[in-house]
Amino acid sequence: MAQPAPAAAAETFRDEVARFIAQNMPPEMAARNRTAVHPGREDYLGWARILARRGWSAPGWPKEHGGAGWTARQLLVLEEESFRAGAPSLHIQTVDLAGPLIAEFGTQAQKAKYLPAIREGRELWAQGFSEPGSGSDLASLSTRAAREGDHYVVNGQKIWTSDAYYCDRIFCLVRTSTEGRPQQGITMLLFPLDLPGVTVRPIPLIDGGQSLCEVFFDNVRVPVEDRLGEEGQGWTCAKRLLAGERVRTAEAPRNAREIARLRAVLETPAPDGRPLIADPLRRARLAELEMDLAALRVGVELELDGRGAPGLPTPSILKLQGTELLQATQRFAREALGPYGAVYHDLTDPAAPMAEPGPEAGRGIAAESLFRRAATIYGGSSEVQKGIIAKAIEGADAASARPPVPEDLGMLRDSLSRFAERLAGREARRARLGQPVRGGAVWSLIAEQGWLGAGLPESAGGFGGGPRESAEIAEAAGRALLSEPLAPAVAAARALAFADPAGQAERLSATVAGELLPILVHDGPDAAACGFRARPDGERWRLSGRARVVLGGPEADLLVVPARLSSGALGLFLLAPAAEGVTRHACRTLDDRQAADVILDDAQAEARVAPAEAPERDLAPALDRALEHALVDACAETLGAMDRAFWLARDHVAERRQFGQALIRFQAIQHRLAEMLVEIQRARALLEHGIESLSEPDPAARRRAMSRMKARLDRSAFLVGGQAIQLHGGMGLTEDCEVGGCFKRICVQGARMGTADDHLARLVGELAPASETPDSAPPNAETSARVQELLS
């Protein structure tokens, strides 16, 4: 399995690329292309010539063809840095499509004739695929090429041919045979656009510019030597292109640039003198877009690294995510411009004043938003992508839809899958209700496998696994709808290990062995949400406060309680559940788990957890680290439940028949399944985002990543769970239908460790302009109300 480059090497490469661009980018070219909707021919060729000085003009080509031989991740870096600096990027049809096609399928003569002109920035190519009557259905194309001696005579029409009016050549799909399957009669030809009989006509666009064209062929004579590959091999060539194009058209770098432009617009003072970003509603919308951008970038990187799910058409999934995000971002930017979002601005001369006074950051946004309405059309429309995904869903299973893992983690995954299947199902869960946890068969199995110590180092009694192993276990717990308090016990063990690993070694070993059941008594996402106070009482400590709906609260042997000291520092304390002053109001959660409100009324602690070398140390950072790991596990558990709900729904519609055919044959059902799977893959990317962020040294960056993950993943889970019930119809509402249990688990998980609104409000608070003081900033209650208004 391909692995990403080490972080330090990746950053060194990024610095090298950014430095070269900064030193070689002509300022006037950057000025044009920061806002250009349609970059011009001279900028495309000029930028290619600049990159050619460094050998980067064909970065993805193999070295034997004059390319740089870069990895997909390196190509992504070049595109990101080019967008950031205002470069026009490389011409996709020329460098990313025509060049690789010729390198793979071309003759030696064709390679010698065409590839140098591309590398040296001398020629541009157009892509002749779509036709008026075929659109995304390329197999139905009708442009004909009749063989006459050593020439093909081409007649027909292409449409939506990007940049053809200033391109030099075209790689064109034509029909050379009507025998057999439609795909078998397609051939690809390479020829100049100035041949007799070729007419190129630009199509005026709604953004006020032009880039798309109609191309007409009237008895155009193309030499047979300019056929790419064998006759009838055109469909093979086209398929090779489309998969790569759809990764590119996920538009991750463009989305990053557009969100940066949006932020610049929001930070521009409005007529009342305050920036629009001062409004919590607008900050909430921005925060949601940034969540989706984080998921998109991770999803693209996983696919480029070869870590995408093998059984899924991930490029189609990413294209749906990226193009929808792009349109949402540009719509918001245009709305943020107010009246200036309704006018064209002069883009031909960046130095010229705008047509109307308005924020400089808004230049070109209105036109760009109009043109990018095509993002969900070009490269295969959203409807086509959903059809591709739906077809894959029919033949896939839950295992093939998950990303690959190294062998050792794969063994753990296989073991967990068997565990989940054994425990899943209403009857298996019902049989365990009301039974003691410790000593039960399931808890013993969990302990025997070492899963209680998955995230703990061996020195603390664990088996030395990291957050990925722990997340795999949590996902399996969600898939099995496990009712035992695995998550709160692991969270308690982590809190002890982060706070005082040496002093708590005995308790940690007992926990991992299943002999002790500690529960972390805390109901928030971070240490700041601590609801307990501690006061000294001689050599003892007394605690007061309340935590709500603590999972595992009624079953705990030991309560691990964070409490705030009078100094403001955070301490960690151990209490016996039966101690005086401890009250537990037991309740049953929607998904049949035992929980309790834990109330401490001057309750005496058994001990204070503190490292011997620093007994007065503030343990808030240690608790935050433990809670960050717990939050990743909580999201993994949610993902397990939503994934299970999806495959239950898929199996149901595949078996259920109406009007003489399976429900899965109806396009509406297929598209709904595709939309659900898109949300699951977005959730997987966000979980990966959370796992990777655990190694981030900056606490603020970890905090943002955690909140993005939890807020967006919860929303995706609720959508998938609700649609899974919808696809089951009335039986989805019955107690015996497992999909209802999945939905209830999703609902409960959404209330744990901060709701989606809580985490969105955290992000909204971080986006507040620095000029806002606490007195002038909207209070939390107002922020929360505005956020809830937005989400509804």
Side-chain angles (χ1 to χ4, degrees):
M1 179 179 67
Q3 296 294 331
E11 287 308 306
T12 299
F13 175 75
R14 184 180 292 276
D15 290 344
E16 179 186 1
V17 171
R19 187 166 52 252
F20 176 82
I21 293 175
Q23 292 171 351
N24 292 275
M25 165 66 61
E28 64 278 7
M29 183 184 290
R32 283 192 298 272
N33 286 284
R34 282 197 176 94
T35 58
V37 180
H38 309 288
R41 172 185 171 85
E42 292 310 313
D43 280 351
Y44 274 129
L45 292 175
W47 183 233
R49 289 193 292 270
I50 290 170
L51 292 176
R53 299 174 196 163
R54 191 67 174 267
W56 291 355
S57 59
W61 296 10
K63 291 183 178 180
E64 59 264 30
H65 297 302
W70 283 2
T71 66
R73 285 292 293 270
Q74 290 175 308
L75 296 173
L76 181 65
V77 168
L78 176 62
E79 191 172 11
E80 288 174 338
E81 293 304 318
S82 296
F83 268 118
R84 186 174 289 117
S89 80
L90 288 166
H91 193 253
I92 181 172
Q93 291 91 334
T94 303
V95 179
D96 294 337
L97 304 184
L101 270 180
I102 295 167
E104 181 172 356
F105 296 100
T107 65
Q108 289 304 317
Q110 287 171 337
K111 295 173 188 177
K113 178 180 180 181
Y114 297 126
L115 296 184
I118 294 176
R119 290 196 309 266
E120 296 163 11
R122 292 188 282 111
E123 289 185 346
L124 296 178
W125 287 70
Q127 175 183 345
F129 280 20
S130 294
E131 297 184 3
S134 58
S136 298
D137 181 13
L138 296 180
S140 68
L141 65 86
S142 59
T143 294
R144 298 299 181 92
R147 178 76 177 264
E148 292 185 2
D150 58 358
H151 283 78
Y152 287 100
V153 179
V154 181
N155 286 278
Q157 178 187 356
K158 298 293 178 178
I159 197 169
W160 318 127
T161 311
S162 298
D163 305 330
Y165 72 102
Y166 61 56
C167 284
D168 303 283
R169 300 180 183 275
I170 188 169
F171 55 100
C172 188
L173 290 179
V174 296
R175 182 163 299 287
T176 50
S177 174
T178 57
E179 302 295 326
R181 296 174 61 243
Q183 294 88 340
Q184 295 173 338
I186 296 175
T187 299
M188 185 171 286
L189 300 179
L190 314 173
F191 55 93
L193 283 167
D194 60 358
L195 284 179
V198 178
T199 302
V200 179
R201 186 170 68 194
I203 303 172
L205 301 175
I206 61 174
D207 61 81
Q210 59 185 27
S211 67
L212 303 181
C213 301
E214 294 178 287
V215 184
F216 300 90
F217 309 111
D218 183 12
N219 291 322
V220 178
R221 298 183 64 82
V222 179
V224 172
E225 65 188 33
D226 281 335
R227 181 186 67 211
L228 188 66
E230 300 299 323
E231 189 168 295
Q233 200 179 8
W235 184 253
T236 301
C237 298
K239 285 197 301 182
R240 190 67 54 87
L241 282 184
L242 291 177
E245 186 184 19
R246 283 169 185 150
V247 173
R248 178 74 175 267
T249 51
E251 298 281 20
R254 189 183 302 277
N255 269 296
R257 185 191 72 174
E258 291 305 302
I259 286 180
R261 292 177 72 188
L262 167 62
R263 289 192 70 156
V265 170
L266 294 175
E267 290 167 357
T268 301
D272 65 359
R274 298 183 74 204
L276 294 177
I277 204 168
D279 174 29
L281 173 61
R282 292 187 172 93
R283 296 204 301 272
R285 289 182 68 179
L286 175 60
E288 289 196 303
L289 295 173
E290 291 183 337
M291 289 179 211
D292 284 353
L293 176 62
L296 178 67
R297 294 184 69 168
V298 173
V300 167
E301 290 171 359
L302 289 173
E303 180 67 9
L304 295 180
D305 290 342
R307 294 187 288 160
L312 299 180
T314 305
S316 291
I317 293 171
L318 292 172
K319 183 179 187 300
L320 284 172
Q321 293 177 1
T323 53
E324 290 171 1
L325 173 59
L326 183 61
Q327 290 177 349
T329 300
Q330 292 178 334
R331 174 189 171 188
F332 183 16
R334 184 164 44 80
E335 290 172 351
L337 288 170
Y340 298 117
V343 298
Y344 286 117
H345 298 142
D346 181 9
L347 302 180
T348 59
D349 181 4
M354 301 180 76
E356 295 285 344
E360 180 63 26
R363 181 184 290 272
I365 282 178
E368 179 80 17
S369 71
L370 290 174
F371 177 67
R372 296 295 166 185
R373 187 60 193 81
T376 48
I377 300 171
Y378 55 61
S381 70
S382 293
E383 291 71 25
V384 169
Q385 306 305 331
K386 290 177 184 179
I388 293 170
I389 297 167
K391 184 176 180 180
I393 288 171
E394 287 192 60
D397 56 28
S400 66
R402 298 173 69 187
V405 292
E407 184 178 356
D408 55 345
L409 194 54
M411 294 173 63
L412 174 63
R413 178 180 287 182
D414 291 342
S415 175
L416 290 166
S417 296
R418 292 191 294 272
F419 168 78
E421 286 301 320
R422 174 179 168 184
L423 297 184
R426 177 66 183 166
E427 291 305 316
R429 298 196 307 276
R430 186 179 291 161
R432 302 197 306 275
L433 289 179
Q435 299 297 315
V437 173
R438 280 205 308 110
V442 173
W443 199 252
S444 298
L445 174 61
I446 290 173
E448 288 170 8
Q449 298 296 323
W451 294 337
L452 286 161
L456 300 179
E458 294 179 8
S459 60
F463 66 62
R468 295 189 188 283
E469 287 81 359
S470 188
E472 286 283 344
I473 293 169
E475 186 175 342
R479 190 172 286 106
L481 302 181
L482 188 71
S483 56
E484 285 74 11
L486 174 62
V490 170
R494 276 211 186 93
L496 296 176
F498 275 111
D500 182 22
Q504 299 302 315
E506 185 175 343
R507 289 189 179 91
L508 289 170
S509 295
T511 300
V512 172
E515 298 165 359
L516 178 71
L517 178 52
I519 296 295
L520 182 64
V521 183
H522 185 72
D523 63 3
D526 53 28
C530 175
F532 294 98
R533 296 281 176 180
R535 67 173 183 86
D537 182 16
E539 296 184 354
R540 299 279 187 175
W541 289 88
R542 291 189 176 274
L543 276 64
S544 297
R546 179 174 190 151
R548 304 163 297 170
V549 195
V550 177
L551 288 179
E555 303 155 313
D557 298 324
L558 180 69
L559 302 179
V560 180
V561 184
R564 191 71 62 185
L565 310 180
S566 59
S567 65
L570 192 81
L572 197 63
F573 300 88
L574 305 178
L575 283 83
E580 182 179 353
V582 177
T583 302
R584 292 181 289 177
H585 291 308
C587 57
R588 182 170 67 91
T589 60
L590 300 176
D591 58 348
D592 296 328
R593 287 189 280 185
Q594 298 299 310
D597 278 12
V598 178
I599 303 168
L600 305 183
D601 184 8
D602 217 28
Q604 182 173 289
E606 280 187 4
R608 178 181 176 183
V609 178
E613 69 278 8
E616 299 304 317
R617 189 178 75 189
D618 182 2
L619 292 183
L623 180 62
D624 275 335
R625 292 298 276 154
L627 290 173
E628 287 163 0
H629 282 262
L631 197 55
V632 167
D633 286 351
C635 287
E637 185 174 342
T638 304
L639 177 59
M642 69 189 287
D643 190 67
R644 177 73 174 173
F646 172 79
W647 292 105
L648 288 170
R650 193 287 305 267
D651 292 347
H652 175 75
V653 297
E655 296 168 4
R656 182 81 170 179
R657 301 183 67 82
Q658 285 191 6
F659 307 109
Q661 61 180 331
L663 288 177
I664 203 170
R665 307 311 312 156
F666 293 93
Q667 189 180 68
I669 300 296
Q670 293 174 344
H671 283 195
R672 181 163 294 178
L673 287 171
E675 291 159 2
M676 292 164 69
L677 188 62
V678 167
E679 291 298 326
I680 290 174
Q681 294 306 106
R682 179 182 279 122
R684 287 203 179 279
L686 285 164
L687 180 62
E688 179 68 20
H689 179 56
I691 290 172
E692 291 179 352
S693 76
L694 290 174
S695 60
E696 165 63 53
D698 180 11
R702 293 199 306 272
R703 174 188 172 99
R704 281 192 297 274
M706 292 295 120
S707 286
R708 286 172 181 165
M709 173 185 65
K710 182 66 162 65
R712 189 62 175 87
L713 193 144
D714 278 354
R715 192 170 72 185
S716 293
F718 190 83
L719 185 150
V720 171
Q723 291 303 308
I725 288 182
Q726 183 76 20
L727 291 176
H728 275 78
M731 69 173 62
L733 299 174
T734 63
E735 186 66 15
D736 288 336
C737 184
E738 187 180 350
V739 75
C742 295
F743 184 64
K744 290 194 289 185
R745 175 59 56 97
I746 288 167
C747 292
V748 172
Q749 289 295 105
R752 290 188 58 216
M753 304 194 72
T755 65
D757 283 0
D758 293 331
H759 284 277
L760 184 56
R762 286 208 320 187
L763 294 168
V764 166
E766 288 195 0
L767 289 171
S771 59
E772 278 200 2
T773 65
D775 291 335
S776 64
N780 288 338
E782 179 186 345
T783 299
S784 185
R786 298 294 298 276
V787 168
Q788 290 178 7
E789 176 187 348
L790 166 70
L791 293 177
S792 64

